[in-house]
Amino acid sequence: NAGVTQTPKFQVLKTGQSMTLQCAQDMNHNSMYWYRQDPGMGLRLIYYSASEGTTDKGEVPNGYNVSRLNKREFSLRLESAAPSQTSVYFCASSERHGYQPQHFGDGTRLSIL
Amino acid sequence: AQSVTQPDIHITVSEGASLELRCNYSYGATPYLFWYVQSPGQGLQLLLKYFSGDTLVQGIKGFEAEFKRSQSSFNLRKPSVHWSDAAEYFCAVSSNTGKLIFGQGTTLQVKP
């Protein structure tokens, strides 16, 4: 019973490099989310996909792009990584968008030098 | 705007003692409220949720929370804390745009 799976778990990048974080869920959920977690700031929403075929910006979208590949998969891309994007990234999914609990993956720890 | 405040950044309790973690929210309508727990190096796990009805909700791992509309609070409680409860706890509210808004978290340390 995998739930939400994120890959990779750890990554170190150099400034300017690009990277795609992968996320897949096996719960047949319609909605998927990307968050970043930084010390003292809780979780901040980067992008979300309320349903397959749609994506929308969250609170902190600058420097990121997303792709909802199919109902199961939602990827996050850093086109030109910056040190300010060093963070822990979490993917989450919910049965539908709004007023639903979200189920989280174990995170990707990303360091940008 | 909707917001969630967890006034305590860090709390230390002795094993076996009772626990209460505070959460205050700002939301115009009936809120949908959640508590999550995050163990070190892990993702967030849902402890419990409140949508409507009974204001005292039971969750997993022996946790409960009480919704108090008059105080705009949704405090998390446990009668007897175990060492394995040491973690970070997040309160969240589902906003009218469908997004989850999280508090900044409370780190719980358990003394033997």
Side-chain angles (χ1 to χ4, degrees), chain B residues 3-16:
Chain B
S3 65
V4 176
T5 301
Q6 294 179 245
D8 304 305
I9 296 173
H10 192 275
I11 282 184
T12 300
V13 300
S14 298
E15 190 168 16

Side-chain angles (χ1 to χ4, degrees), chain A residues 33 35 37 40-45 48 57-59 88 90 97-107 109, chain B residues 27 30 32 34 36 38 40-44 46 49 51 88 90 94-100 102-105:
Chain A
Y33 307 82
Y35 293 89
Q37 184 179 33
M41 303 191 74
L43 280 85
R44 293 181 291 170
L45 183 64
Y48 67 99
K57 295 178 181 179
E59 184 183 352
V88 182
F90 288 99
H97 185 55
Y99 310 117
Q100 295 289 313
Q102 294 178 13
H103 302 263
F104 286 79
D106 284 341
R109 284 143 187 85
Chain B
Y27 190 75
T30 300
Y32 287 63
F34 308 89
Y36 285 86
Q38 183 181 29
Q42 301 294 314
L44 278 71
L46 180 68
K49 60 188 178 186
F51 287 171
E88 191 163 16
F90 291 93
S94 186
S95 74
N96 56 6
T97 61
K99 302 170 191 174
L100 273 186
F102 288 89
Q104 293 188 335

Side-chain angles (χ1 to χ4, degrees), chain A residues 4 10 27 60 80:
Chain A
V4 179
F10 302 93
M27 296 174 283
V60 288
S80 179

